[in-house]
Amino acid sequence: MNSLFTQGYLKPITQDDIPDIWKERDDPELSASRFEHYWNEEAKKPNPSLLKVLLLSSKKPLLYGGILCLIENIFRFTGPLLLEQIVLFIADHEAPLWQGIVLCVALFLGLIIQVVCGHHHYYQVTTAGLQMESALLRSIFKKALAMSTSSVRKTTVGEIVNHQSVDYYPIFNLFRFINAVWAAPLQIIGIFSLLGRLNGVSTLGVLAFFAFFFPMLVFANKKAFDIEKQLMKLRDERTSTMNELLQGILVVKFFAWEDSFLKKINGTRSKEISLLKRGIMYIMFTNILWTVGPPLMSGCVFLIYLTDHKFLPSEVAFATIALINNLTIPLTNFPIFIGNFLQATVSLTRLTKFLSGEDLDPASVQSRSENGLVRIKNATFAWEDTNVLSDIDITFKKGHLTAVVGEVGSGKSSLIQAILGEMHKVSGSVEVNGSVAYVSQQPWLLNATLRDNVLFGKPYEEERYNRTIEMSELLADLKMLPGADLTEIG
Ligand SMILES: Nc1ncnc2c1ncn2[C@@H]1O[C@H](COP(=O)(O)OP(=O)(O)OP(=O)(O)O)[C@@H](O)[C@H]1O
Ligand SMILES: [Mg+2]
């Protein structure tokens, strides 16, 4: 990173100057394959735990992060303890100078270690979060392509879109604060025991503050969690309606249904916004509590201390304020962790259900038939539980053009889907040879040039391309288009 800063100082940075990712650790392919390995094992269990799989597949950065977090937390106590000693040193006019210097250097070094470890801890856990994010996104995408028809029926397009655009985020956030689960209680215990040593029973002032505010915090967090659950549902609903609208935009325009669709989408959106506002109010409420908390807590402690002792020594006052300020970190991080955990639980449950859904059987179509043959033997195919094609026995020969004729809904498209392996095969066998090209009843075009749609990602070889255009009788159509095969379509 440092050399990049120097380069940036000398000249504007371009894409080529950005260093490559650290292959072994940051390569999304690797983290995704680690995740898939653990998930495939876990998915065999009756109640698979996605959280466990995520923890296992990012165990390295999580472990490093955990160790750094422990060191950071140990050094958090050096500040208040040394501050107490420094105040005592200042008050003691006979203490030698070197003692003061040693104390100041120790305070400085303690802070440096704490800050360096703290930042590297966040770097490690953020890396773990990003690894999981890329692995999850890839698995969701793969799953969406491999789902069986019965799984497709159980989810909506809106849900799948939200799995990819919303659900991963709370999980990423959970990883960033994951060490708070043990570090926060540890810090709280440490700080309370030090406060107890300094203030004796007056430490109970902090507890008095908590007894009053804690139920409010729990209430606000619970409300925020409920709102998050409702928001997820509304987001699915809105994305589904949006999707319907975009898919049928021609019909909607033709019949001038824009207004009614707009009303429907705006209805869901305004519900979503009012919920969001309410959620933010609860989050703000907790934030305010944490901001006013420390001065109030110090006030409570000093008040009790003064009624008991009549005099508050400065070393006790300074160290207490420093300790109570430190207390805000675990007290802020722990509710953030709980909030993230609750939000992530909603997303984890949704994703576990989605990822555990049934897949199409990749072995339903075998590629062992003789050259060019497509053969279906005594096969029965079903959509979900209904057999649509029963006892089918056909062979399509190489070099023959076959037309399948039948009434509407008689199963013509289903027959093609069966050959593609998209239907559930109840019995029998399907054999194909080589690759299969499928032109569906509903065309699907890329929003790109006609040429890009023909090439569909393949490199442009002029001769082969021209031959394809000629053989598919497209020449006459191209002549009619203003930009020939470079016309934008889709
Ligand atoms: N993806 C699907 N999921 C569940 N059922 C389906 C699915 N596709 C088709 N079906 C059902 O299978 C039966 C046959 O439909 P199919 O679309 O194969 O008929 P088709 O002969 O192609 O009709 P068309 O002439 O309208 O194209 C119908 O009852 C239909 O409802
Ligand atoms: Mg059809």
Side-chain angles (χ1 to χ4, degrees):
M1 217 16 145
N2 289 343
S3 64
L4 193 66
F5 279 125
T6 323
Q7 274 187 35
Y9 177 71
L10 297 173
K11 70 174 183 67
I13 289 181
T14 62
Q15 181 74 34
D16 298 335
D17 300 321
I18 310 288
D20 275 344
I21 54 163
W22 186 356
K23 272 267 179 245
E24 265 165 54
R25 214 189 54 174
D26 299 336
D27 188 353
E29 289 280 329
L30 270 178
S31 38
S33 59
R34 265 198 312 269
F35 171 83
E36 268 170 31
H37 163 76
Y38 287 116
W39 173 252
N40 290 341
E41 288 298 311
E42 188 71 17
K44 290 177 195 152
K45 296 181 186 165
N47 285 318
S49 158
L50 185 56
L51 182 62
K52 184 176 146 197
V53 172
L54 291 171
L55 289 172
L56 275 176
S57 41
S58 276
K59 53 182 181 289
K60 255 194 194 165
L62 285 177
L63 192 70
Y64 291 150
I67 294 170
L68 288 166
C69 179
L70 183 68
I71 301 174
E72 178 204 359
N73 279 303
I74 291 171
F75 278 89
R76 254 183 209 292
F77 293 112
T78 53
L81 287 176
L82 288 169
L83 198 64
E84 183 195 1
Q85 293 307 315
I86 288 173
V87 176
L88 282 174
F89 164 80
I90 294 169
D92 180 2
H93 296 293
E94 270 150 41
L97 180 66
W98 64 262
Q99 215 175 12
I101 295 173
V102 168
L103 285 173
C104 288
V105 171
L107 185 69
F108 174 72
L109 288 180
L111 263 177
I112 295 275
I113 295 175
Q114 180 199 324
V115 170
V116 169
C117 289
H119 280 89
H120 276 270
H121 154 230
Y122 273 111
Y123 172 64
Q124 294 292 340
V125 284
T126 309
T127 305
L130 284 173
Q131 282 184 355
M132 282 312 96
E133 185 185 315
S134 58
L136 271 178
L137 287 179
R138 201 176 98 142
S139 298
I140 297 167
F141 185 67
K142 267 176 91 172
K143 186 74 192 182
L145 297 181
M147 285 161 85
S148 73
T149 42
S150 60
S151 307
V152 170
R153 280 283 159 101
K154 285 178 203 148
T155 36
T156 63
V157 177
E159 269 174 43
I160 300 179
V161 170
N162 280 343
H163 288 326
Q164 281 198 309
S165 56
V166 181
D167 276 328
Y168 72 87
Y169 195 67
I171 298 173
F172 169 66
N173 261 342
L174 173 72
F175 273 73
R176 284 182 51 218
F177 287 95
I178 198 143
N179 285 313
V181 69
W182 57 266
L186 210 72
Q187 277 184 43
I188 293 172
I189 293 170
I191 291 172
F192 267 102
S193 44
L194 287 180
L195 278 175
R197 188 180 68 85
L198 282 170
N199 299 287
V201 278
S202 328
T203 312
L204 291 178
V206 180
L207 293 182
F209 169 85
F210 267 110
F212 190 64
F213 282 108
F214 201 68
M216 288 198 228
L217 275 172
V218 173
F219 174 76
N221 272 329
K222 161 119 187 33
K223 278 281 177 197
F225 172 61
D226 289 345
I227 287 174
E228 185 59 30
K229 266 204 321 209
Q230 292 173 37
L231 265 175
M232 282 293 196
K233 267 204 194 122
L234 280 177
R235 280 182 193 135
D236 287 347
E237 207 179 294
R238 178 172 52 84
T239 322
S240 280
T241 323
M242 223 26 223
N243 211 48
E244 251 172 55
L245 170 71
L246 291 176
Q247 276 184 352
I249 193 78
L250 281 179
V251 184
V252 172
K253 281 263 177 209
F254 186 77
F255 289 105
W257 284 338
E258 288 104 321
D259 281 345
S260 58
F261 261 94
L262 213 62
K263 240 189 227 155
K264 200 170 168 194
I265 292 169
N266 277 343
T268 335
R269 182 170 279 171
S270 47
K271 269 193 235 159
E272 204 180 318
I273 290 178
S274 74
L275 265 182
L276 258 178
K277 278 187 188 155
R278 268 178 53 203
I280 289 173
M281 292 287 280
Y282 285 115
I283 291 169
M284 272 174 38
F285 175 71
T286 42
N287 283 349
I288 291 171
L289 271 189
W290 291 129
T291 319
V292 298
L296 282 181
M297 284 185 234
S298 308
C300 291
V301 174
F302 294 154
L303 219 67
I304 303 178
Y305 194 95
L306 281 173
T307 49
D308 207 18
H309 295 75
K310 307 277 181 274
F311 171 71
L312 178 67
S314 46
E315 71 273 10
V316 174
F318 275 103
T320 304
I321 291 175
L323 278 172
I324 287 183
N325 274 341
N326 262 355
L327 195 58
T328 51
I329 297 160
L331 289 187
T332 327
N333 280 356
F334 201 61
I336 291 180
F337 170 77
I338 299 281
N340 284 346
F341 184 75
L342 295 177
Q343 279 187 11
T345 314
V346 178
S347 295
L348 283 169
T349 318
R350 282 161 58 96
L351 285 178
T352 310
K353 188 173 150 231
F354 176 70
L355 292 176
S356 331
E358 196 192 19
D359 278 347
L360 282 169
D361 178 12
S364 71
V365 176
Q366 285 141 4
S367 55
R368 59 156 187 233
S369 102
E370 296 143 42
N371 191 18
L373 271 185
V374 174
R375 184 187 296 153
I376 305 179
K377 265 200 257 170
N378 300 329
T380 298
F381 301 96
W383 289 118
E384 294 188 69
D385 300 327
T386 338
N387 290 358
V388 171
L389 301 170
S390 304
D391 292 328
I392 304 286
D393 225 335
I394 336 174
T395 306
F396 298 105
K397 289 197 187 115
K398 187 180 179 182
H400 286 242
L401 177 68
T402 313
V404 181
V405 186
E407 287 168 14
V408 168
S410 57
K412 303 181 292 296
S413 301
S414 301
L415 180 69
I416 308 286
Q417 309 262 32
I419 296 170
L420 290 171
E422 300 271 324
M423 275 185 93
H424 171 56
K425 190 178 75 185
V426 183
S427 61
S429 71
V430 182
E431 293 168 16
V432 296
N433 178 267
S435 59
V436 178
Y438 173 53
V439 183
S440 87
Q441 201 161 345
Q442 284 129 7
W444 183 71
L445 291 173
L446 294 172
N447 182 5
T449 60
L450 193 144
R451 182 186 290 184
D452 289 335
N453 271 285
V454 173
L455 294 173
F456 217 70
K458 290 237 161 71
Y460 176 66
E461 293 166 32
E462 196 176 347
E463 197 190 320
R464 187 171 172 213
Y465 175 77
N466 286 340
R467 203 153 32 97
T468 312
I469 296 284
E470 204 184 308
M471 285 175 80
S472 34
E473 300 287 347
L474 272 176
L475 278 173
D477 300 274
L478 289 188
K479 277 194 192 120
M480 287 192 309
L481 294 170
D485 64 346
L486 294 180
T487 313
E488 289 263 353
I489 53 170

